[in-house]
Protein backbone atom coordinates (compact mmCIF):
# COMPACT_ATOMS: atom_id res chain seq x y z
CA UNK A 1 0.00 0.00 0.00
CA UNK A 2 1.45 3.29 -1.11
CA UNK A 3 0.35 5.13 2.03
CA UNK A 4 1.76 2.60 4.48
CA UNK A 5 5.23 1.35 5.39
CA UNK A 6 5.67 -2.42 5.69
CA UNK A 7 7.55 -3.54 8.81
CA UNK A 8 8.64 -6.75 10.53
CA UNK A 9 9.64 -7.13 14.18
CA UNK A 10 12.41 -9.60 15.04
CA UNK A 11 14.99 -10.34 17.69
CA UNK A 12 18.18 -12.29 18.40
CA UNK A 13 18.46 -13.27 22.08
CA UNK A 14 15.95 -10.46 22.76
CA UNK A 15 18.09 -7.80 21.06
CA UNK A 16 15.14 -6.52 19.02
CA UNK A 17 14.81 -4.75 15.71
CA UNK A 18 12.31 -3.21 13.33
CA UNK A 19 13.00 -4.39 9.77
CA UNK A 20 11.90 -2.17 6.89
CA UNK A 21 11.95 -3.55 3.34
CA UNK A 22 13.15 -1.06 0.73
CA UNK A 23 13.52 -3.48 -2.14
CA UNK A 24 13.86 -0.89 -4.87
CA UNK A 25 15.98 1.51 -2.84
CA UNK A 26 13.50 4.35 -3.26
CA UNK A 27 12.43 4.76 0.36
CA UNK A 28 15.56 5.79 2.22
CA UNK A 29 15.47 6.08 5.98
CA UNK A 30 16.21 9.36 7.73
CA UNK A 31 17.61 9.41 11.28
CA UNK A 32 14.33 10.91 12.51
CA UNK A 33 12.25 8.15 10.94
CA UNK A 34 14.53 5.42 12.28
CA UNK A 35 14.40 6.92 15.78
CA UNK A 36 10.59 7.10 15.60
CA UNK A 37 10.27 3.47 14.54
CA UNK A 38 12.58 2.41 17.41
CA UNK A 39 10.74 4.48 20.01
CA UNK A 40 9.05 2.11 22.46
CA UNK A 41 6.25 4.54 23.28
CA UNK A 42 5.50 6.65 20.22
CA UNK A 43 6.65 4.13 17.61
CA UNK A 44 7.05 0.36 17.32
CA UNK A 45 9.99 -0.14 19.64
CA UNK A 46 13.38 -1.74 19.12
CA UNK A 47 17.06 -1.57 19.94
CA UNK A 48 17.64 -0.74 16.31
CA UNK A 49 16.14 -0.43 12.84
CA UNK A 50 17.28 -2.43 9.79
CA UNK A 51 16.50 -1.29 6.26
CA UNK A 52 16.58 -4.13 3.72
CA UNK A 53 17.93 -2.62 0.51
CA UNK A 54 19.81 -3.90 -2.59
CA UNK A 55 23.52 -3.35 -2.08
CA UNK A 56 23.81 -1.60 -5.43
CA UNK A 57 21.25 0.99 -4.22
CA UNK A 58 23.10 1.88 -1.00
CA UNK A 59 23.93 5.54 -0.48
CA UNK A 60 27.54 4.89 0.58
CA UNK A 61 30.01 4.03 -2.19
CA UNK A 62 31.98 1.71 0.15
CA UNK A 63 28.83 -0.36 0.59
CA UNK A 64 27.98 -0.35 -3.14
CA UNK A 65 31.46 -1.78 -3.75
CA UNK A 66 30.26 -4.97 -2.02
CA UNK A 67 27.53 -5.56 -4.62
CA UNK A 68 29.67 -8.11 -6.45
CA UNK A 69 29.54 -10.50 -3.46
CA UNK A 70 26.44 -9.43 -1.53
CA UNK A 71 23.01 -8.80 -3.03
CA UNK A 72 21.51 -7.20 0.08
CA UNK A 73 22.70 -4.43 2.38
CA UNK A 74 21.84 -4.41 6.09
CA UNK A 75 21.37 -0.67 6.61
CA UNK A 76 21.52 -0.70 10.42
CA UNK A 77 20.48 2.24 12.57
CA UNK A 78 20.77 2.61 16.34
CA UNK A 79 17.69 3.44 18.37
CA UNK A 80 18.61 7.13 18.28
CA UNK A 81 18.58 7.03 14.47
CA UNK A 82 22.34 7.18 13.99
CA UNK A 83 23.93 4.89 11.42
CA UNK A 84 26.07 2.06 12.79
CA UNK A 85 28.72 -0.10 11.15
CA UNK A 86 26.89 -3.36 11.78
CA UNK A 87 25.21 -5.50 14.44
CA UNK A 88 26.00 -9.13 15.23
CA UNK A 89 22.52 -10.12 16.38
CA UNK A 90 21.03 -7.99 13.62
CA UNK A 91 22.92 -9.87 10.91
CA UNK A 92 21.25 -13.12 11.96
CA UNK A 93 17.78 -11.57 12.07
CA UNK A 94 18.48 -9.95 8.69
CA UNK A 95 19.51 -13.33 7.26
CA UNK A 96 16.37 -15.00 8.63
CA UNK A 97 14.24 -12.30 7.00
CA UNK A 98 15.97 -12.70 3.63
CA UNK A 99 15.39 -16.47 3.72
CA UNK A 100 11.76 -16.20 4.77
CA UNK A 101 10.98 -13.64 2.07
CA UNK A 102 12.71 -15.67 -0.64
CA UNK A 103 15.28 -12.93 -1.23
CA UNK A 104 17.98 -15.52 -0.54
CA UNK A 105 17.41 -19.27 -0.88
CA UNK A 106 20.76 -20.82 0.03
CA UNK A 107 21.83 -21.93 3.51
CA UNK A 108 24.96 -19.80 3.12
CA UNK A 109 25.33 -16.36 1.56
CA UNK A 110 26.96 -12.96 2.04
CA UNK A 111 25.37 -9.72 3.24
CA UNK A 112 26.74 -6.20 2.97
CA UNK A 113 27.32 -3.97 6.00
CA UNK A 114 29.14 -0.72 6.69
CA UNK A 115 31.84 -2.88 8.30
CA UNK A 116 32.29 -4.93 5.14
CA UNK A 117 30.77 -8.07 3.65
CA UNK A 118 29.76 -10.75 6.19
CA UNK A 119 29.14 -14.41 5.40
CA UNK A 120 26.19 -16.06 7.12
CA UNK A 121 25.16 -19.71 7.20
CA UNK A 122 22.22 -21.60 8.62
CA UNK A 123 22.86 -24.76 10.61
CA UNK A 124 21.05 -26.53 13.42
CA UNK A 125 18.14 -24.09 13.30
CA UNK A 126 20.40 -21.11 14.02
CA UNK A 127 22.47 -18.65 12.03
CA UNK A 128 26.24 -18.27 12.27
CA UNK A 129 27.90 -15.10 11.01
CA UNK A 130 31.60 -14.67 10.26
CA UNK A 131 32.32 -11.23 11.65
CA UNK A 132 35.80 -10.96 10.16
CA UNK A 133 38.98 -9.93 11.97
CA UNK A 134 39.03 -8.32 15.39
CA UNK A 135 41.83 -6.19 16.78
CA UNK A 136 42.83 -4.84 20.14
CA UNK A 137 42.97 -1.05 20.17
CA UNK A 138 44.93 1.22 22.46
CA UNK A 139 42.37 3.99 23.09
CA UNK A 140 45.16 6.55 23.56
CA UNK A 141 47.34 5.99 20.51
CA UNK A 142 45.01 3.77 18.44
CA UNK A 143 48.07 2.27 16.78
CA UNK A 144 49.19 -0.54 19.09
CA UNK A 145 47.73 -3.30 21.20
CA UNK A 146 47.12 -2.32 24.80
CA UNK A 147 44.72 -1.63 27.61
CA UNK A 148 44.60 1.92 28.90
CA UNK A 149 40.84 2.56 29.03
CA UNK A 150 39.02 3.33 32.26
CA UNK A 151 35.29 2.90 32.67
CA UNK A 152 33.31 4.78 35.30
CA UNK A 153 29.91 3.40 36.30
CA UNK A 154 28.05 5.67 38.68
CA UNK A 155 30.17 7.26 41.38
CA UNK A 156 32.40 4.29 42.17
CA UNK A 157 36.04 3.73 41.36
CA UNK A 158 36.80 3.26 37.64
CA UNK A 159 37.40 -0.18 36.16
CA UNK A 160 40.26 -0.96 33.79
CA UNK A 161 39.12 -2.15 30.38
CA UNK A 162 40.25 -3.44 27.01
CA UNK A 163 39.23 -1.80 23.73
CA UNK A 164 38.31 -4.27 20.97
CA UNK A 165 37.40 -3.37 17.39
CA UNK A 166 35.01 -5.76 15.60
CA UNK A 167 34.07 -3.40 12.82
CA UNK A 168 32.31 -1.44 15.55
CA UNK A 169 33.91 -0.27 18.82
CA UNK A 170 33.78 -2.10 22.17
CA UNK A 171 35.20 -1.49 25.62
CA UNK A 172 35.25 -4.64 27.77
CA UNK A 173 35.47 -4.65 31.58
CA UNK A 174 36.34 -7.80 33.54
CA UNK A 175 34.64 -7.15 36.86
CA UNK A 176 36.80 -7.61 39.95
CA UNK A 177 35.82 -10.14 42.60
CA UNK A 178 33.16 -8.77 44.89
CA UNK A 179 31.46 -6.61 42.24
CA UNK A 180 27.95 -7.86 41.47
CA UNK A 181 27.24 -7.92 37.74
CA UNK A 182 23.47 -7.81 38.25
CA UNK A 183 23.68 -4.95 40.74
CA UNK A 184 25.44 -2.42 38.51
CA UNK A 185 23.39 0.58 37.41
CA UNK A 186 23.37 0.92 33.62
CA UNK A 187 20.51 3.39 33.58
CA UNK A 188 22.97 5.98 32.36
CA UNK A 189 25.85 5.49 29.97
CA UNK A 190 29.16 4.39 31.49
CA UNK A 191 31.82 7.07 31.23
CA UNK A 192 34.81 5.87 29.21
CA UNK A 193 38.14 7.65 29.47
CA UNK A 194 39.81 8.45 27.14
CA UNK A 195 36.53 9.03 25.33
CA UNK A 196 36.48 7.21 21.95
CA UNK A 197 35.86 9.63 19.10
CA UNK A 198 32.96 7.60 17.67
CA UNK A 199 31.61 6.40 21.02
CA UNK A 200 31.72 2.79 22.17
CA UNK A 201 29.67 -0.14 23.36
CA UNK A 202 30.58 -1.15 26.92
CA UNK A 203 30.54 -4.81 28.01
CA UNK A 204 30.70 -5.83 31.68
CA UNK A 205 31.91 -9.41 32.01
CA UNK A 206 31.87 -11.97 34.81
CA UNK A 207 33.73 -15.29 34.26
CA UNK A 208 31.61 -18.34 35.13
CA UNK A 209 33.93 -21.18 34.15
CA UNK A 210 36.28 -22.31 31.38
CA UNK A 211 35.02 -20.88 28.09
CA UNK A 212 31.94 -19.44 29.79
CA UNK A 213 31.13 -15.84 30.79
CA UNK A 214 28.10 -13.74 31.70
CA UNK A 215 27.75 -10.26 30.24
CA UNK A 216 25.74 -7.06 30.44
CA UNK A 217 26.07 -4.41 27.78
CA UNK A 218 25.37 -0.71 27.29
CA UNK A 219 25.20 0.06 23.58
CA UNK A 220 26.07 3.46 22.17
CA UNK A 221 23.05 5.29 20.86
CA UNK A 222 20.70 2.81 22.55
CA UNK A 223 21.31 2.16 26.26
CA UNK A 224 21.38 -1.19 28.04
CA UNK A 225 20.13 -4.00 25.79
CA UNK A 226 19.24 -7.61 26.46
CA UNK A 227 22.04 -8.79 24.19
CA UNK A 228 24.79 -7.64 21.83
CA UNK A 229 26.32 -10.06 19.34
CA UNK A 230 29.52 -8.19 18.53
CA UNK A 231 29.75 -7.40 22.25
CA UNK A 232 29.67 -11.11 23.05
CA UNK A 233 32.55 -11.62 20.61
CA UNK A 234 34.48 -8.73 22.18
CA UNK A 235 33.90 -10.27 25.61
CA UNK A 236 35.30 -13.62 24.44
CA UNK A 237 38.33 -12.00 22.83
CA UNK A 238 39.09 -9.83 25.86
CA UNK A 239 38.67 -12.69 28.35
CA UNK A 240 40.97 -14.88 26.26
CA UNK A 241 43.52 -12.07 26.13
CA UNK A 242 43.44 -11.58 29.91
CA UNK A 243 43.85 -15.33 30.40
CA UNK A 244 46.99 -15.20 28.25
CA UNK A 245 45.55 -17.49 25.61
CA UNK A 246 43.93 -16.50 22.35
CA UNK A 247 43.78 -20.11 21.21
CA UNK A 248 42.63 -20.74 17.68
CA UNK A 249 39.51 -22.84 17.72
CA UNK A 250 38.39 -21.84 21.21
CA UNK A 251 34.62 -21.77 21.73
CA UNK A 252 32.94 -19.50 24.27
CA UNK A 253 29.46 -19.50 25.74
CA UNK A 254 28.29 -15.99 26.51
CA UNK A 255 25.20 -15.64 28.71
CA UNK A 256 23.24 -12.44 28.22
CA UNK A 257 19.93 -11.28 29.67
CA UNK A 258 18.11 -12.51 26.56
CA UNK A 259 19.68 -15.97 26.30
CA UNK A 260 22.99 -17.49 25.20
CA UNK A 261 25.32 -16.84 22.30
CA UNK A 262 28.21 -18.97 21.05
CA UNK A 263 31.48 -17.42 19.90
CA UNK A 264 34.17 -19.27 17.92
CA UNK A 265 37.68 -17.77 17.74
CA UNK A 266 39.27 -18.50 14.36
CA UNK A 267 42.72 -18.24 12.76
CA UNK A 268 43.94 -14.81 11.73
CA UNK A 269 41.99 -13.02 14.46
CA UNK A 270 38.72 -14.16 12.93
CA UNK A 271 35.57 -14.72 14.94
CA UNK A 272 32.18 -16.33 14.35
CA UNK A 273 28.95 -15.67 16.23
CA UNK A 274 26.12 -18.22 16.45
CA UNK A 275 22.67 -17.86 17.95
CA UNK A 276 18.93 -17.75 17.33
CA UNK A 277 17.00 -15.35 15.12
CA UNK A 278 13.24 -14.95 15.52
CA UNK A 279 10.75 -13.02 13.36
CA UNK A 280 7.91 -12.12 15.70
CA UNK A 281 5.35 -10.11 13.73
CA UNK A 282 4.56 -8.36 10.46
CA UNK A 283 2.54 -5.22 9.96
CA UNK A 284 2.48 -1.74 8.51
CA UNK A 285 2.64 1.85 9.66
CA UNK A 286 0.83 4.83 8.11
CA UNK A 287 3.44 6.95 6.35
CA UNK A 288 1.62 10.03 7.63
CA UNK A 289 2.78 9.19 11.16
CA UNK A 290 6.47 9.20 10.24
CA UNK A 291 8.44 12.41 10.80
CA UNK A 292 10.06 14.10 7.82
Amino acid sequence: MADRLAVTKGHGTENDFVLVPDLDGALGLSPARAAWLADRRAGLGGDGVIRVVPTERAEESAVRDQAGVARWFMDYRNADGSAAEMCGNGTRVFAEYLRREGLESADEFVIATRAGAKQVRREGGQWTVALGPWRLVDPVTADRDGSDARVHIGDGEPFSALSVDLGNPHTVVALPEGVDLAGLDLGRAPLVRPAPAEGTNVELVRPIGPGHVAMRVHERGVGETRSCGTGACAAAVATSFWAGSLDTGATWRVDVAGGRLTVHLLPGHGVELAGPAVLVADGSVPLALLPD
Side-chain angles (χ1 to χ4, degrees):
M1 294 174 286
D3 60 344
R4 301 185 70 87
L5 177 69
V7 294
T8 294
K9 184 69 179 290
H11 76 89
T13 50
E14 298 181 7
N15 192 192
D16 61 337
F17 313 99
V18 178
L19 293 98
V20 178
D22 185 14
L23 305 188
D24 59 5
L27 172 67
L29 192 63
S30 69
R33 288 189 169 190
W36 185 91
L37 289 167
D39 192 297
R40 297 191 183 277
R41 292 177 176 84
L44 298 179
D47 294 326
V49 176
I50 300 172
R51 182 173 66 121
V52 184
V53 63
T55 305
E56 63 186 11
R57 297 295 183 90
E59 288 84 356
E60 299 99 323
S61 61
V63 173
R64 292 196 301 272
D65 288 344
Q66 301 170 45
V69 294
R71 294 177 57 202
W72 299 99
F73 167 44
M74 185 182 81
D75 180 7
Y76 183 71
R77 308 300 177 101
N78 295 316
D80 65 357
S82 60
E85 295 88 349
M86 60 93 62
C87 171
N89 289 323
T91 56
R92 302 194 318 279
V93 175
F94 186 75
E96 181 72 9
Y97 180 86
L98 294 179
R99 271 290 300 265
R100 190 197 70 174
E101 294 297 305
L103 301 175
E104 292 284 1
S105 58
D107 287 333
E108 188 168 349
F109 51 88
V110 178
I111 62 176
T113 77
R114 293 186 179 89
K118 308 298 178 184
Q119 188 164 20
V120 296
R121 68 178 184 274
R122 184 170 177 79
E123 52 188 6
Q126 296 190 337
W127 287 96
T128 296
V129 54
L131 293 177
W134 54 264
R135 66 186 181 95
L136 304 181
V137 181
D138 184 321
V140 177
T141 65
D143 62 4
R144 61 181 175 84
D145 291 353
S147 177
D148 294 325
R150 296 292 183 270
V151 175
H152 300 255
I153 299 174
D155 299 323
E157 291 296 315
F159 301 115
S160 61
L162 188 69
S163 299
V164 184
D165 188 302
L166 274 141
N168 57 356
H170 296 271
T171 303
V172 185
V173 174
L175 294 176
E177 290 293 332
V179 177
D180 179 22
L181 175 63
L184 292 172
D185 181 9
L186 292 182
R188 56 178 174 169
L191 183 63
V192 179
R193 290 289 182 263
E198 302 299 325
T200 184
N201 304 296
V202 177
E203 287 77 31
L204 307 171
V205 178
R206 165 72 69 209
I208 295 176
H212 190 188
V213 297
M215 182 188 86
R216 289 177 65 190
V217 57
H218 190 286
E219 294 195 56
R220 62 174 179 165
V222 185
E224 183 174 12
T225 59
R226 302 277 293 174
S227 177
C228 175
T230 52
C233 295
V237 168
T239 306
S240 295
F241 175 81
W242 287 317
S245 176
L246 282 167
D247 290 339
T248 296
T251 296
W252 286 83
R253 292 171 293 164
V254 181
D255 292 343
V256 294
R260 175 174 290 175
L261 295 163
T262 302
V263 177
H264 305 287
L265 301 183
L266 304 175
H269 286 193
V271 64
E272 287 186 338
L273 173 71
V278 182
L279 301 179
V280 177
D282 300 293
S284 64
V285 176
L287 286 173
L289 292 180
L290 296 177
D292 295 332

